[in-house]
Amino acid sequence: MAALFGCLLGLLVSQRATGPSRPDDTPTPLLSPSGFIDGISHWLDGGERVFYDWRIRQLGEVSERSDRVVLVSIDDDTLAEAQQGPRADIAAYPWPRQVMGGMVHRLMEEGASVVMLDFAYPELSPRACVTPMRSGRGALSQDDDALRALLDQDPGHSVLAFRWGAEGTRTLPPTGRLWPYRVRLGSYPGVTEARARAQSVLALQRPAFLIPAGKGLEVWAGVADEGEGRSLGEQLGTAAASIQERRAADDAFRVAPSDLFLALASVQVQGLDPEKLLEVRQLQHPVTPLLSPASGYGATTLPADPDGVVRGVPHLVAYSPRGGERYVLPSLPLAAAMRLAGTQKLRYAEGRLYIGDTYSIPMDASGYSLLRWEAPSATRGARGPLARSIRAWNVLLNLFDTQEARPARFDHDLDGRAVILTNTSSYAPERRVTPIGPGIANGAVLGQALANILASDGITRAPPKVDMLATMGLAFIGAFLALSCSWLLRSVGGAFLFVCVAVAAGAGYVGAAGYVFVHDKLWIAVAGPLWSGGLAFLVTTLYAFRTEQDVRDFVHSALGRYVSPEVARLVARDVSLMKPERRQMTVYLCDIEGFTRLSQALPPEQLVPLLNTFLTEMTAVVRATAGQVDKYIGDSVMAFWGAPVRTDRHAHLACEAALKLQAALAQKQPLWEKQFGHRLAVRAGIDTGDLLVGDMGSELKSHYTVMGDAVGMAGRLEAANKEYGTQVLVGQTTAQLASDAYVFREVDRVLLRDRPQPVRVHELLGRRGEFSQEKQAGMALYEKALIAYYGRDFLVAQELFRRCTVEHGDTVARVYVQRCQRLIQTPPPADWDGVIRWGRRSTDSR
């Protein structure tokens, strides 16, 4: 039951979610089977997140905050200073984009390696409008144009933000039915130059078209009429521009602002399947005048887990604007890392995303990467888990000082550091809830993500198979502990210790998982394995109670199943008969000759009925002779006589059972051969000695059995039949006790390693008075040969044994023929007594 339970829960744990839930993950009704399974999975995921947060805080305790990323925050104090300052343009927020560009440029002058702007600019600046009478870049919004110009002074060192949404319908470009004409604005040899020209068209809120013409591209703009076309051509510096009516086929070459953005922001990732990435449906990217290859572009969207906690960053997402080609878009930290590494080369292999040859970060195939928080708790300030944050007001003062040719007031020590410019004031979006606490600014989370990339560090989640094996393993451990320690439940103190054992096992696993998490940054499941182990422990404890009672009932009833009803009634009347004691008894052990070959030849559906039939016959014979079946060992049967009811004829009864079994087998052979296609031959060993007999075992399982040298000797005798070609071999004591009723012949004289004196091995031939003349003649000839053998007359003995073999088919005589031949060739020493030596577990002569 524990195995089944562990497997089922392990399968659920292995089907874990790899990141925040997708928008299209519609909940399943709880009353349905799939809904019930989903409910358990979500419940397990919720518990796992609790343990994950605990471990991430433990990791934060031994971590150092990163100083490679610095937060520049527009906080409430900065806005208050700006309102009271002499500059009217920054008295109201949001500030002009020209001021933001000046701050970025100033941070670059102070040594920043890259500046990330955690601001989305999806619309033109509200502080400036399009100037219709100007041409070229001057035709764009002056405020946006100023920000772009300042960023272009430090090409490759700025990263602009965009946001995405995974819900709703895809955002498509507006239709062109309101623009019946088009004006030609020039022909360009390459895509880059054509897109730069189209950018100026899009900035004027006109549709742009890149139409192939020979080896180049022509840029056209959509207009309402011919007059507007001439005016637009003059405005954009194209005199006498060609004006034509728009064609329906032109829509195939239309360029939307998103097309320009995707051309600049999308990345190629070697080894990653874009189909597995989270597909976003809506984009809020920088307005057209801000698009330039001189800057990078990265997403600032931070989806939370179902409990509202942000634990990671989707570094890569997929976007398909028209449901066709997929574009892979990076996060803001990843885009900044690519700028720092000076590469556009990304590679995904073995659960890590490689940024060129400089950085790497653990990431799953869906593009999601867990954050390694470098602090145990969130601070009250804006910096969050980072080592430093700078007030934006201080950067503004340095900017104003340099504009007025004065020395900068503050030394921010930004050499070689990445900077993220973000809003942490009351105007900022809602702060994030994280494993280290609530209230962390969006920019601080992104900064921590960049710090992880720069350190090539992060959290790796164990493969689902590892979590599944841990869940199944803890279920087995829980069941094992419950079974092995259930004896403690007999007392109150023991019950307390019993519970402590389970708690200690669970705590040990949690501690081990925490150690691996902190030292190896490996997330192994905890909640699922704990529930699996705990429930298996509980279920097995209840099962142990029931089993213990069943075992006790079995101990009382089992004797009645393996002995005759008369013996069972005697024991029931006198329980003292079951008391352990030492007495003389006879042990019988037999097995089926060639059973290994038989088991390989027969299919299970035939082998099992055949074996059951044989064991039934054997048990019936033992019962009929007042014996007890001790145990079944595969095809072997062990029985004994002389207990629990005493008898002096235990040796006789054992010999009688052996003969009756041979007779029963001979009678059943035709039926078995017809039914199963095989005949059975049984070899047996019988020995008598002082044995310990009684009810032996544990609280959970006991057995009425015997122990002693005679048991081992019976096994040796049974195995020796194969060497001598006999069916029943008996020990010396058994032959002496039963010689008045049964006929035996000496087979060999052997010295056992664990006995000081040699013993004689005999073969049970039958009951007295039941031998034919031919059989008696064969026995007499064998006796004469044996006397000659031990009299060292090996030539005579060899001839007599040969006659026994030829005339009577004596298999034992065949063994002696070979021995005589060896002794004739190599005469024995003077002290030779004919005794051979048996090993402890072998019947081979030595």
Side-chain angles (χ1 to χ4, degrees), residues 371-396:
L371 282 171
R372 177 196 169 173
W373 301 91
E374 297 174 341
S377 60
T379 59
R380 294 184 179 180
R383 65 189 177 112
L386 301 176
R388 283 198 299 151
S389 67
I390 300 172
R391 293 173 57 201
W393 179 247
N394 294 350
V395 178
L396 280 175

Side-chain angles (χ1 to χ4, degrees), residues 734-754:
T734 304
Q736 292 173 353
L737 292 176
S739 60
D740 61 330
Y742 299 90
V743 179
F744 306 89
R745 70 168 176 173
E746 182 179 335
V747 172
D748 217 337
R749 300 175 185 180
V750 300
L751 179 64
L752 302 179
R753 183 178 300 177
D754 52 355

Side-chain angles (χ1 to χ4, degrees), residues 6 22 108 115 121 135 183 283 433 532 555 754 773 785 810 819:
R22 297 174 180 261
M108 295 293 182
V115 177
Y121 296 121
S135 62
V183 56
L283 291 179
V433 179
S532 175
V555 170
D754 52 355
Q773 292 293 333
D810 194 339
R819 288 189 187 180

Side-chain angles (χ1 to χ4, degrees), residues 117-136:
L117 281 78
D118 182 23
F119 305 96
Y121 296 121
E123 304 292 342
L124 293 173
S125 172
R127 294 178 177 268
C129 59
V130 175
T131 306
M133 298 308 296
R134 302 181 65 178
S135 62

Side-chain angles (χ1 to χ4, degrees), residues 207-257:
F209 304 90
L210 300 183
I211 301 177
K215 295 184 179 180
L217 292 172
E218 292 182 348
V219 179
W220 294 75
V223 292
D225 51 40
E226 294 182 2
E228 184 179 351
R230 288 189 293 271
S231 175
L232 182 63
E234 294 175 358
Q235 183 178 350
L236 296 180
T238 304
S242 173
I243 302 174
Q244 299 178 6
E245 290 186 0
R246 267 194 66 239
R247 299 170 301 180
D250 293 343
D251 288 339
F253 306 104
R254 181 170 180 173
V255 179

Side-chain angles (χ1 to χ4, degrees), residues 51-52 118 139 166 233 356 406 522 635 639 654 701 727:
F51 283 102
Y52 174 81
D118 182 23
R406 294 197 306 265
L522 182 63
D635 63 312
K701 182 177 179 61
Q727 289 185 326

Side-chain angles (χ1 to χ4, degrees), residues 577-590:
L577 294 175
M578 300 288 290
K579 182 180 179 181
E581 61 178 313
R582 188 176 297 277
R583 65 173 74 170
Q584 189 182 58
M585 299 172 56
T586 299
V587 179
Y588 172 98
L589 195 146
C590 74

Side-chain angles (χ1 to χ4, degrees), residues 72-75 78 90 93 95-112 115 117 119 121 146-147 150-151 154 390-400 402-403 412 414 419-422:
V72 175
S73 63
I74 302 176
D75 54 9
T78 295
I90 61 173
Y93 189 81
W95 295 334
R97 295 179 185 178
Q98 181 177 3
V99 173
M100 300 297 293
M103 291 179 64
V104 173
H105 183 63
R106 177 59 203 171
L107 290 169
M108 295 293 182
E109 291 179 336
E110 294 188 18
V115 177
L117 281 78
F119 305 96
Y121 296 121
L147 172 58
L150 288 167
L151 296 180
D154 304 288
I390 300 172
R391 293 173 57 201
W393 179 247
N394 294 350
V395 178
L396 280 175
L397 291 180
N398 283 357
L399 173 63
F400 298 155
T402 55
Q403 289 176 349
H412 294 131
L414 298 179
V419 173
I420 180 165
L421 183 58
T422 187

